[in-house]
Amino acid sequence: MSDVVRWGAFSCALVPFVLIISGASWAGAAGTAAGLAAVTCACRALLRRSERSAAGLRRRAAGRQRDRSGRSGARARRGGRHIERRTPVD
């Protein structure tokens, strides 16, 4: 993500410079820089949000363990053969 933000900041500086050299007004170049900065900030926020949600999904998927019968949760991690059914001993 940092590379994307770095390129966005570079374009926020480069594009107005090129516009001024090519003869555009200072106000137009400043407006363009402000617009690019707003788009860069919005993209950065969206990237952060998607990375957080992906990390949460990975964390939740890693926490799920299944036993042979397909059960998940605490029952899947317990050992032993007959946990629920205990046979009476004579």
Side-chain angles (χ1 to χ4, degrees), residues 25-50:
S25 67
W26 284 88
T32 302
L36 285 173
V39 168
T40 302
C41 289
C43 289
R44 180 174 184 240
L46 289 172
L47 280 170
R48 282 182 122 185
R49 184 176 176 187
S50 68

Side-chain angles (χ1 to χ4, degrees), residues 2-61:
S2 63
D3 290 338
V4 173
V5 174
R6 224 176 287 146
W7 277 107
F10 177 70
S11 69
C12 287
L14 182 67
V15 170
F17 178 73
V18 171
L19 287 173
I20 290 171
I21 288 177
S22 65
S25 67
W26 284 88
T32 302
L36 285 173
V39 168
T40 302
C41 289
C43 289
R44 180 174 184 240
L46 289 172
L47 280 170
R48 282 182 122 185
R49 184 176 176 187
S50 68
E51 284 180 348
R52 285 182 188 157
S53 64
L57 288 174
R58 280 193 303 267
R59 220 176 305 122
R60 274 187 253 135

